[in-house]
Amino acid sequence: ESCPSIKNILLLDSEGNRVAVKYYSDEWPNNSVKEAFEKSLFTKTQKTNARTEAEIAMFESHIIVYKFVQDLHFFVTGAENENELILVTVLQGFFDAVGLLLRGTVDKKEALENLDLILLCLDEIVDGGIILETDANVIAGKVASHSIDAAAALSEQTISQALATAREHLARSLLK
Amino acid sequence: MVYVIIKELSPSADEVIIVTSSLMKDMTSKTDMYRANAIRVLCQITDGTLLTQIERYLKQAIVDKNPVVASAALVSGIHLLQTNPEIVKRWSNEVQEAVQSRAALVQFHALALLHQIRQNDRLAVNKLVSSLTRGSVRSPLAQCLLIRYTSQVIRESASNTQTGDRPFYDFLEGCLRHKAEMVIFEAARAITELNGVTSRELTPAITVLQLFLSSTKPVLRFAAVRTLNKVAMTHPIAVTNCNIDMESLISDQNRSIATLAITTLLKTGNESSVDRLMKQITTFMSDIADEFKIVVIEAIRSLCLKFPLKHRSLMNFLSNILREEGGFEYKKAIVDSIVILIRDIPEAKESGLLHLCEFIEDCEFTYLSTQILHFLGIEGPKTSDPSKYIRYIYNRVHLENATVRAGAVSTLAKFGAMVDSLKPRIFVLLRRCLFDTDDEVRDRATLYLNTLGADGAVEDMKEFLFGSLDIPLEPSEESFDINSVPKEVKIQPLAEKKAPGKKPTGLGGPPPSPPSTIDAYEKLLSSIPEFANFGKLFKSSAPVELTEAETEYAVNVVKHIFDGHVVFQYNCTNTIPEQLLENVTVIVDASEAEEFAEVASKPLRSLPYDSPGQTFVAFEKPEGVPAVGKFSNMLRFIVKEVDPSTGEAEDDGVEDEYQLEELEVVAADYMLKVGVSNFRNAWESMVPDCERVDEYDLGPRENLAEAVNAVINLLGMQPCEGTEVVPSNSRSHTCLLSGVYIGNVKVLVRLQFGIDGPKDVAMKLAVRSEDEAVS
């Protein structure tokens, strides 16, 4: 009897290439194995339609739930005997949190530009396989409070946020 | 962000003192996010010594007001439990407090950690579960955890659930009505996985799963179908209500769901629905991938074994799909299924063999063709008209590659060997094979022509050609001498074949049902030429020990009763590693058994350390008469010293004798235990004048059960209808026995026991049999 655990969360693009992935299990020991897994998983699920509802499949004795939006494919993997509905809750949390963070435009370009947000998001959902949080609002809040931190040094912010802060400062100084 | 990077790099603690010290400062900073993440990172890169330093902060963090910090500390605790369990166990008080927290996920994490800490203490888990089932659990994830722990508790207390409901079952059932779907599903799954669950307990769970089957979300449908599939393996009747919903799932978009639905329907279907299912499956098979197809094939196979009358339509279905496109594994699965059906359903043999023949005409896989040809060779000659198959086999000789040609030649020869009427035609065909281009084919053809063409010793020839040669030849310096190959078949291979074989292995595997001990003995005895003409073995007794345990040589004897002979098989084991016994025989003194005359004795050539061997002594007895007598036994052998380090024996040995216990042949040995299902009918059907009634006083006994067992052993008959079980504290008991006596006479015995005050047992015995003398 163990805690429900997640094996990996993957975010691939519409050709099966990586955008952001995180593995929590030792079943894929090195990078080539991981990439092979991602490729075969992608080909298997390519033809199905997972845009309206989350879909589910069994693959290599794992259970995978997945959802597609625009040109991004979200996958969550669990063990064979895991409760599938828990996996779907995690998937939905991740999916909605990314939607909130990317302010509604969920596609590959936005994702790559805000890769740091996505990686933080992954970090806040699952820690070492154990589910930390499934509510999308809470996740997005945690990620947002990480990045837009007034006390943080300028170098720790991303370029876009630095530009945003600079713009704000500029606007304020202009108004003065 | 920096935290994420540190975690990815995960350096070891002594490399990054600076990082750890700044992280430790962060742990006490005001910003909660920093505290939470610092805790997580530190716990990942820390080792035991550093951990003790930060333990104080961690304990504080667990009961922190901010749920993010608390969760971070708890989750880190769960990870640390793998590496530093003692330290984490010291936090159980704080964790206990956290379980009562109001924040949903903190409760979840605290529950997980507490369970991990206490998981070996069954009582503590029990207490934890009972307190929480009564209390309030705030998050669905925590509820799911609780359900899992509850089922663990139920499983561990399973030994004493004779009475009524299990503990906590009501809790599980209540969860079926929870708001969150994941809780409902987890509860349903837990109920279906309970040990020895009854249909009454299953019904609410299955109703809920049935609702999921018609949901719009594929995940729910998948989860429900998968669970129902598992339930159908053990309780097919409970699932039949869902059949209608499942039939609509066959055309589901998601192929996994469709396959699971079909396999479940195949398990729960009854005979009338089989035809309908077959029609739906045929259209469905072309859509799905190979791995699903194999699953469906196996389900069809078990279905056919369940309903043998439907074999025609199922066999047609299998051969149709065999013709279509498919990979090697898939076709192999189909061929295996057809072979198993042929073996287990005799009426399907002819059509099955014909289907296989048609298949090899087109088959592109050499392995499958050779296996099928081999199988044809075994089964073909036993059919009513073997010549049908010869055409197919001979075509293979011409048209295929070398491996298949060689296999076809062997098969032709088998037909020729088994079926005499076909021999001349087979010779003609084999002679043509002599001109083949391949060496192996020509060799085989020549071999078969010469051996089958020659006269005499036909049995040996067949064994040599087609039997399995058990003992491989070892390379040796001396020239090969055919006489040195032992003719006796060791018993060990038979025992090994019994063990694996739970799953039918189709072509080339051992036969599905393990050979019973009687068959094994029969084979063994008939393989020994001196005993081969004793006739059919009537009964073999269980092994009787002739030596005490822990002696140097352990010997037990099995008594084999034939019509006119009795054979004693002595199983000897040498337990002394420094000795090797040779020429082992048993000298039997039959002076107290007048009716027996020693006929033959078969010595055991060599008995090395720790490998059991058999030696036999045969006696002749008057036919049909159940002679009894006592035999005293002595083991005689030549003992040679063995050097334990090299394992070699010295050249000269000393003759020695070893006394064994006495052996008795009693009337019970002549009685075969044969059960009768309806004793009353059988009793009435026997003529009353063959009845004998007698009363005996058995004297003082411990209790009635002991007396009953003693009499049953004495008579050696089979108790019927459970009458050998005596309810405790009863004063009287009736026992019904049945058996078959030598000469094939059915015997029925009715015993009535009564026990008196001072434990005196009286018995009334009534015997009815077909022959008055036997009674």
Side-chain angles (χ1 to χ4, degrees):
Chain A
E1 297 316 297
S2 59
C3 209
S5 76
I6 310 285
K7 292 199 176 182
N8 63 43
I9 303 187
L10 309 173
L11 181 55
L12 307 178
D13 71 356
S14 48
E15 275 130 39
N17 301 319
R18 275 188 191 182
V19 174
V21 306
K22 193 91 171 67
Y23 284 82
Y24 306 105
S25 152
D26 296 326
E27 281 175 49
W28 298 275
N30 58 27
N31 209 29
S32 49
V33 178
K34 292 181 185 168
E35 291 193 340
F37 174 73
E38 289 160 25
K39 270 254 156 344
S40 41
L41 175 57
F42 180 75
T43 25
K44 180 156 175 180
T45 55
Q46 206 174 14
K47 299 189 211 96
T48 57
N49 174 15
R51 285 175 195 274
T52 42
E53 289 285 349
E55 274 285 345
I56 183 167
M58 279 210 60
F59 179 67
E60 286 180 8
S61 78
H62 309 297
I63 303 221
I64 321 239
V65 296
Y66 52 97
K67 204 160 181 187
F68 300 165
V69 73
Q70 296 280 15
D71 50 359
L72 285 177
H73 296 218
F74 293 75
F75 298 89
V76 172
T77 313
E80 213 178 358
N81 57 352
E82 193 57 73
N83 183 336
E84 297 92 339
L85 299 178
I86 294 186
L87 297 176
V88 157
T89 322
V90 170
L91 176 72
Q92 199 62 38
F94 179 45
F95 185 81
D96 293 336
V98 167
L100 285 173
L101 288 171
L102 298 181
R103 295 170 226 275
T105 38
V106 186
D107 62 7
K108 180 173 168 181
K109 190 167 83 66
E110 276 296 318
L112 285 175
E113 281 190 6
N114 296 293
L115 197 57
D116 56 336
L117 292 178
I118 307 236
L119 289 175
L120 281 173
C121 191
L122 279 173
D123 186 57
E124 291 295 339
I125 295 185
V126 175
D127 179 287
I130 303 186
I131 305 175
L132 269 185
E133 183 59 67
T134 54
D135 187 325
N137 290 317
V138 176
I139 300 173
K142 285 204 277 185
V143 173
S145 71
H146 255 297
S147 44
I148 311 172
D149 196 342
L154 210 56
S155 57
E156 281 198 276
Q157 294 176 326
T158 59
I159 303 290
S160 49
Q161 273 137 17
L163 278 176
T165 330
R167 227 178 284 134
E168 264 186 61
H169 282 181
L170 201 56
R172 240 178 268 139
S173 60
L174 281 176
L175 286 173
K176 276 205 199 100
Chain B
M1 194 62 190
V2 179
Y3 298 114
V4 178
I5 298 188
I6 299 181
K7 267 197 277 191
E8 276 302 310
L9 294 176
S10 359
S12 69
D14 43 50
E15 281 176 4
V16 281
I17 308 267
I18 302 179
V19 178
T20 45
S21 58
S22 69
L23 281 172
M24 279 167 66
K25 206 160 69 77
D26 272 345
M27 271 211 306
T28 51
S29 92
K30 280 194 252 127
T31 319
D32 294 330
M33 279 312 299
Y34 287 169
R35 290 220 322 264
N37 282 304
I39 292 178
R40 283 167 59 191
V41 180
L42 262 179
C43 292
Q44 224 176 331
I45 64 176
T46 193
D47 65 2
T49 51
L50 188 55
L51 193 52
T52 40
Q53 292 173 357
I54 56 176
E55 201 184 334
R56 192 164 62 87
Y57 297 113
L58 287 174
K59 279 209 224 181
Q60 275 178 347
I62 293 183
V63 289
D64 192 289
K65 285 192 298 295
N66 186 320
V68 179
V69 176
S71 287
L74 288 165
V75 172
S76 312
I78 299 180
H79 290 308
L80 284 173
L81 200 55
Q82 316 296 331
T83 46
N84 305 66
E86 329 73 38
I87 298 186
V88 181
K89 287 195 183 151
R90 296 209 281 260
W91 307 344
S92 45
N93 283 334
E94 281 79 12
V95 181
Q96 182 82 28
E97 216 186 296
V99 171
Q100 315 296 337
S101 143
R102 298 209 292 155
L105 282 170
V106 176
Q107 194 180 37
F108 166 59
H109 295 130
L111 181 57
L113 181 56
L114 200 57
H115 179 257
Q116 290 265 35
I117 293 179
R118 300 221 178 126
Q119 109 185 316
N120 296 326
D121 182 352
R122 210 199 288 180
L123 198 53
V125 173
N126 212 324
K127 256 181 31 182
L128 178 65
V129 168
S130 7
S131 67
L132 278 174
T133 49
R134 273 178 257 126
S136 69
V137 178
R138 272 167 248 275
S139 81
L141 281 173
Q143 189 89 336
C144 286
L145 263 191
L146 192 56
I147 292 178
R148 288 191 191 185
Y149 300 153
T150 314
S151 33
Q152 183 186 14
V153 166
I154 293 184
R155 208 179 315 138
E156 284 173 358
S157 64
S159 45
N160 41 5
T161 48
Q162 293 292 355
T163 59
D165 274 340
R166 306 157 194 272
F168 301 121
Y169 174 73
D170 298 323
F171 167 67
L172 286 178
E173 218 219 319
C175 285
L176 287 175
R177 296 183 274 274
H178 197 271
K179 264 188 314 187
E181 280 166 349
M182 70 162 92
V183 175
I184 302 178
F185 176 65
E186 186 78 39
R189 201 162 68 136
I191 293 183
T192 55
E193 285 172 2
L194 288 175
N195 277 347
V197 63
T198 64
S199 316
R200 191 174 58 90
E201 291 170 336
L202 270 180
T203 333
I206 299 212
T207 329
V208 155
L209 290 172
Q210 194 174 355
L211 285 171
F212 277 177
L213 281 177
S214 33
S215 141
T216 47
K217 294 201 219 159
V219 183
L220 283 175
R221 297 201 296 267
F222 180 84
V225 164
R226 205 155 74 106
T227 318
L228 285 173
N229 196 358
K230 266 194 224 137
V231 173
M233 287 197 234
T234 45
H235 297 88
I237 316 167
V239 183
T240 36
N241 295 338
C242 308
N243 275 359
I244 308 178
D245 299 288
M246 276 200 274
E247 284 185 20
S248 59
L249 281 183
I250 300 184
S251 46
D252 191 294
Q253 283 249 348
N254 184 323
R255 276 3 226 139
S256 316
I257 298 184
T259 320
L260 281 170
I262 288 237
T263 43
T264 319
L265 282 171
L266 283 170
K267 283 190 200 124
T268 63
N270 48 19
E271 259 182 274
S272 47
S273 60
V274 167
D275 294 318
R276 208 175 60 224
L277 268 181
M278 282 298 126
K279 272 199 218 98
Q280 284 170 314
I281 293 184
T282 335
T283 45
F284 164 79
M285 284 298 263
S286 40
D287 280 340
I288 55 178
D290 263 8
E291 59 211 19
F292 292 138
K293 284 191 197 165
I294 298 185
V295 173
V296 177
I297 302 278
E298 284 174 11
I300 293 184
R301 180 206 304 165
S302 16
L303 186 70
C304 196
L305 289 173
K306 221 170 38 156
F307 301 121
L309 298 171
K310 291 277 168 190
H311 69 264
R312 196 154 288 124
S313 60
L314 291 173
M315 189 75 87
N316 281 339
F317 172 75
L318 284 176
S319 62
N320 282 338
I321 51 178
L322 199 53
R323 278 181 241 274
E324 290 165 19
E325 294 278 315
F328 172 62
E329 285 299 329
Y330 169 55
K331 299 236 166 152
K332 182 162 178 312
I334 304 180
V335 171
D336 279 345
S337 305
I338 298 186
V339 165
I340 292 175
L341 291 180
I342 292 181
R343 268 210 182 113
D344 292 339
I345 305 178
E347 302 90 25
K349 207 185 323 196
E350 302 266 332
S351 55
L353 289 176
L354 271 175
H355 285 309
L356 286 176
C357 288
E358 286 166 13
F359 171 59
I360 51 177
E361 307 216 314
D362 267 325
C363 176
E364 65 255 26
F365 302 111
T366 315
Y367 176 79
L368 284 180
S369 298
T370 43
Q371 291 287 78
I372 294 181
L373 283 169
H374 178 80
F375 179 68
L376 273 176
I378 302 177
E379 294 285 336
K382 297 188 211 154
T383 63
S384 51
D385 182 18
S387 51
K388 274 196 291 208
Y389 307 109
I390 303 226
R391 176 173 72 84
Y392 292 103
I393 304 175
Y394 187 59
N395 282 340
R396 299 303 103 222
V397 174
H398 278 314
L399 301 172
E400 301 272 0
N401 60 34
T403 326
V404 181
R405 288 207 298 274
V409 168
S410 298
T411 315
L412 280 176
K414 257 185 231 169
F415 269 79
M418 310 279 182
V419 184
D420 281 333
S421 55
L422 293 174
K423 247 199 206 169
R425 293 195 260 168
I426 299 273
F427 281 172
V428 172
L429 296 175
L430 282 177
R431 261 184 223 118
R432 290 206 208 132
C433 299
L434 285 175
F435 300 109
D436 194 287
T437 47
D438 185 62
D439 288 345
E440 173 79 18
V441 180
R442 283 202 309 274
D443 279 348
R444 286 198 194 187
T446 324
L447 173 69
Y448 293 133
L449 272 175
N450 286 342
T451 50
L452 290 178
D455 295 322
V458 182
E459 280 298 321
D460 272 352
M461 269 312 141
K462 279 196 209 157
E463 183 62 32
F464 161 64
L465 287 175
F466 306 123
S468 50
L469 299 172
D470 261 344
I471 305 158
L473 293 179
E474 283 152 53
S476 77
E477 294 296 317
E478 312 149 356
S479 58
F480 176 64
D481 178 14
I482 188 112
N483 293 323
S484 66
V485 176
K487 281 212 193 104
E488 301 129 13
V489 177
K490 288 199 169 162
I491 292 212
Q492 265 120 336
L494 279 172
E496 277 163 38
K497 272 193 197 159
K498 275 189 225 165
K502 285 211 188 113
K503 198 166 178 243
T505 47
L507 290 169
S513 58
S516 65
T517 331
I518 277 264
D519 290 343
Y521 282 139
E522 261 200 83
K523 266 203 200 138
L524 178 64
L525 289 171
S526 52
S527 73
I528 300 171
E530 289 92 325
F531 305 148
N533 50 0
F534 283 175
K536 188 162 172 356
L537 176 66
F538 177 68
K539 178 180 168 182
S540 299
S541 74
V544 177
E545 293 287 335
L546 291 182
T547 55
E548 293 169 22
E550 308 291 326
T551 50
E552 298 102 10
Y553 314 109
V555 178
N556 61 36
V557 70
V558 178
K559 298 177 265 189
H560 301 289
I561 315 281
F562 293 86
D563 265 343
H565 298 84
V566 169
V567 177
F568 297 130
Q569 171 184 341
Y570 297 91
N571 297 319
C572 320
T573 314
N574 173 18
T575 61
I576 305 181
E578 292 93 31
Q579 284 190 354
L580 168 69
L581 305 183
E582 284 196 355
N583 253 347
V584 180
T585 54
V586 178
I587 307 294
V588 183
D589 180 8
S591 47
E592 291 192 24
E594 299 97 21
E595 294 160 352
F596 289 88
E598 179 162 346
V599 165
S601 160
K602 190 167 172 57
L604 178 59
R605 260 200 356 199
S606 125
L607 188 63
Y609 167 59
D610 211 27
S611 84
Q614 295 85 28
T615 170
F616 301 84
V617 180
F619 282 87
E620 192 176 352
K621 72 168 183 55
E623 265 212 40
V625 174
V628 297
K630 263 205 196 142
F631 302 84
S632 61
N633 309 288
M634 189 147 61
L635 194 69
R636 181 177 288 171
F637 45 85
I638 300 179
V639 61
K640 292 191 176 169
E641 294 287 325
V642 171
D643 187 357
S645 46
T646 62
E648 279 176 11
E650 292 183 12
D651 282 327
D652 52 331
V654 179
E655 239 196 62
D656 203 355
E657 289 178 353
Y658 189 74
Q659 184 73 30
L660 303 170
E661 286 179 14
E662 282 187 355
L663 172 59
E664 256 191 273
V665 174
V666 295
D669 286 327
Y670 292 102
M671 180 79 74
L672 247 186
K673 283 187 180 188
V674 172
V676 166
S677 49
N678 193 334
F679 190 83
R680 209 201 169 83
N681 276 347
W683 186 261
E684 310 289 328
S685 66
M686 292 215 170
V687 181
D689 7 310
C690 290
E691 175 168 345
R692 289 275 178 278
V693 183
D694 235 339
E695 289 198 14
Y696 300 90
D697 184 3
L698 294 179
R701 296 271 166 171
E702 271 297 315
N703 55 21
L704 209 49
E706 196 226 323
V708 171
N709 279 335
V711 176
I712 293 179
N713 284 338
L714 201 63
L715 289 176
M717 297 171 74
Q718 173 79 18
C720 301
E721 295 174 19
T723 48
E724 74 269 23
V725 179
V726 181
S728 47
N729 290 335
S730 65
R731 315 248 74 199
S732 71
H733 183 67
T734 309
C735 188
L736 309 168
L737 304 174
S738 86
V740 173
Y741 205 62
I742 191 162
N744 251 339
V745 178
K746 277 216 217 74
V747 183
L748 296 172
V749 168
R750 188 189 278 168
L751 297 170
Q752 278 155 320
F753 293 87
I755 186 164
D756 265 358
K759 301 213 177 189
D760 255 337
V761 180
M763 176 181 86
K764 179 170 160 192
L765 170 94
V767 178
R768 275 198 195 180
S769 80
E770 290 168 357
D771 188 344
E772 210 181 319
V774 174
S775 297

